[in-house]
Amino acid sequence: MAHYSIGDLARMTGLSTRTVRFYSDSGLVPVAGRTAGGFRTYDVDGLARLKLVRTLRDLGVDLPTAQRVLAREVSVAEVARTHAEAIDAQMRTLRLRRAVLRVVARNGEVEMVHELARLSEQERQAILDDFFDEVFGGLELEPGFEQGMRSVRVELPDDPTSEQLEAWIELANLVQDPDFRASIRRMSERHQELRAEGADMSGPAPEQREAFGQAIALAREALDSGVDPGSEEAAAIVRRIAETWSTALDVPVGPQLARRLEEFGDPRAERYWALIAKINGWPAVPDTTAERAWLVEAMR
């Protein structure tokens, strides 16, 4: 049977003689014999154990755990699974830190970004629930509408991209903005009034979605063509839009229609949904801020 000296083991494993001696002194690599001069020798089993210890240590396994593996108190598979899970957790933490740093690099806010990034799923949802309580509280809204709004969850991944983290931070700031809350509260109060008058407030009907899409498309064409919102050409576009909207909303063209569109026209409400989609990894919600602004200006 082959016998190896400490120097032999060091050369065959790439470890230093000092490390091999330490493992031997720790009982990880048992001494198989002694030379005539009293020097330690090791057999093939010792070499195999040393190679396993080296591999485990390279993978970040601590020495006590390596000793348990060699003593067959725990299997290599169990150790590998446990350490893989630990590494996964470390990677998630590192990715989150990277995302936080990238956001901080863009906006310069450190404490706020760090605190919002560390919130649990329940804590993130609590921010939205508080928002809903303020903007919907005490009002008799269409049950399906309110339930639908409250049912949407913030599903920020454990390892979000910097874009998702930035979207969450913007959303958290948006729903805590007093001016935005006041705007949505006014919309909710108007929702209650219209519902009391008999209007269907369960959500946009297909024809209303189509009317909105047409209005945005016409506004985009006007923007691309450089149409001045105060021009006669813009007035003609507004009349065309108003006719479609009056049919979809069952409201005559005129001040009443303009008021209805203005009451529910805060572009930040659309931004809310765009941010939710980005956070949750849903298909992107088109940004129609410029088109809305053009329409508001043209309708004045």
Side-chain angles (χ1 to χ4, degrees), residues 250-266:
D250 194 24
V251 175
V253 175
Q256 187 178 353
L257 174 63
R259 180 189 171 203
R260 175 76 68 86
L261 296 176
E262 187 175 285
E263 287 170 338
F264 297 94
D266 191 329

Side-chain angles (χ1 to χ4, degrees), residues 99-176:
V100 167
L101 290 172
R102 285 178 174 170
V103 174
V104 170
R106 281 196 284 270
N107 62 27
E109 293 285 342
V110 179
E111 291 298 328
M112 179 268 293
V113 172
H114 186 243
E115 288 302 316
L116 289 175
R118 292 174 61 247
L119 295 180
S120 67
E121 180 181 353
Q122 291 74 22
E123 290 170 328
R124 289 193 294 268
Q125 192 61 39
I127 291 177
L128 279 191
D129 290 339
D130 177 70
F131 166 71
F132 291 135
D133 289 344
E134 180 169 332
V135 301
F136 295 155
L139 301 178
E140 294 188 10
L141 307 178
E142 185 68 32
F145 169 78
E146 182 171 353
Q147 290 169 7
M149 290 291 294
R150 287 182 177 272
S151 68
V152 177
R153 314 294 295 180
V154 174
E155 299 173 350
L156 187 70
D158 290 335
D159 54 344
T161 64
S162 57
E163 290 76 16
Q164 286 175 307
L165 181 58
E166 195 162 19
W168 157 240
I169 291 166
E170 183 180 343
L171 178 69
N173 285 324
L174 177 63
V175 298
Q176 294 178 93

Side-chain angles (χ1 to χ4, degrees), residues 168-206:
W168 157 240
I169 291 166
E170 183 180 343
L171 178 69
N173 285 324
L174 177 63
V175 298
Q176 294 178 93
D177 179 3
D179 185 66
F180 180 63
R181 289 188 171 211
S183 175
I184 301 302
R185 179 70 185 189
R186 287 193 295 271
M187 290 187 195
S188 301
E189 291 170 348
R190 184 56 179 153
H191 174 119
Q192 177 180 252
E193 292 173 4
L194 291 170
R195 181 170 180 259
E197 294 169 5
D200 181 3
M201 303 302 292
S202 58

Side-chain angles (χ1 to χ4, degrees), residues 4 9 12-13 15 19-20 22-32 41-58 61-74 76:
Y4 309 101
L9 292 183
M12 296 170 76
T13 60
L15 298 171
T19 299
V20 174
F22 171 75
Y23 288 155
S24 178
D25 291 342
S26 302
L28 291 171
V29 183
V31 176
T41 61
Y42 304 86
D43 57 17
V44 173
D45 180 61
L47 174 62
R49 290 167 65 90
L50 184 60
K51 286 182 176 180
L52 178 57
V53 172
R54 181 200 60 189
T55 300
L56 291 174
R57 296 292 286 151
D58 285 346
V61 177
D62 58 81
L63 201 55
T65 301
Q67 289 175 317
R68 293 183 63 204
V69 171
L70 292 174
R72 300 186 184 279
E73 295 175 5
V74 62
V76 173

